[in-house]
Amino acid sequence: MEDYGKLILRIGLGIVFLYFGISQLIAPQRWIDLIPEVKFVYMNDIFKQKIVLLNGIFDCLIGICFILGIFIKIVSLLATLHLISIFLFSLGFNPSGFRDLGLALASLSL
């Protein structure tokens, strides 16, 4: 049963990452407000949109790897670090931030 649990967790996380990645690639304008401002760096909407597109590609790659079951240890570590950085530097201590923290811990468990 443990193998089925890991499979379900892996595919579930893959679907979540793939959904968010595709959403960022299709409509990056919806996501640019979530990019945190960095001191001493001028970030206009075009620069933020490029960051969102790169993040969307990254999320899609993580999702595909989770679903196909390839490079799981590396991908789960990258996903964990990615989600923790979003929690700490972007969303913070709000419901969306804690959702990402939960997803990070789920990724870490793989």
Side-chain angles (χ1 to χ4, degrees):
M1 295 304 270
E2 186 177 326
D3 290 337
Y4 290 121
K6 288 180 181 178
L7 176 67
I8 292 168
L9 178 60
R10 190 169 47 78
I11 291 174
L13 284 171
I15 290 169
V16 169
F17 273 97
L18 204 53
Y19 168 79
F20 281 108
I22 291 170
S23 177
Q24 291 171 52
L25 293 175
I26 291 173
Q29 283 300 111
R30 285 200 227 152
W31 296 88
I32 62 172
D33 290 336
L34 295 175
I35 304 293
E37 294 294 327
V38 179
K39 292 180 182 178
F40 309 113
V41 177
Y42 174 70
M43 297 195 320
N44 60 16
D45 283 351
I46 294 170
F47 183 69
K48 287 182 179 182
Q49 188 170 357
K50 288 180 181 182
I51 291 172
V52 170
L53 291 173
L54 287 173
N55 191 73
I57 292 168
F58 182 74
D59 283 353
C60 284
L61 289 173
I62 288 176
I64 289 167
C65 287
F66 274 150
I67 290 169
L68 296 178
I70 53 177
F71 308 118
I72 295 302
K73 288 184 180 182
I74 295 168
V75 170
S76 63
L77 179 63
L78 290 173
T80 300
L81 294 173
H82 177 60
L83 289 167
I84 287 175
S85 70
I86 291 172
F87 172 72
L88 292 175
F89 301 113
S90 181
L91 297 178
F93 294 91
N94 64 38
S96 295
F98 279 101
R99 176 209 53 218
D100 284 354
L101 180 61
L103 289 171
L105 296 175
S107 295
L108 182 62
S109 74
L110 289 175

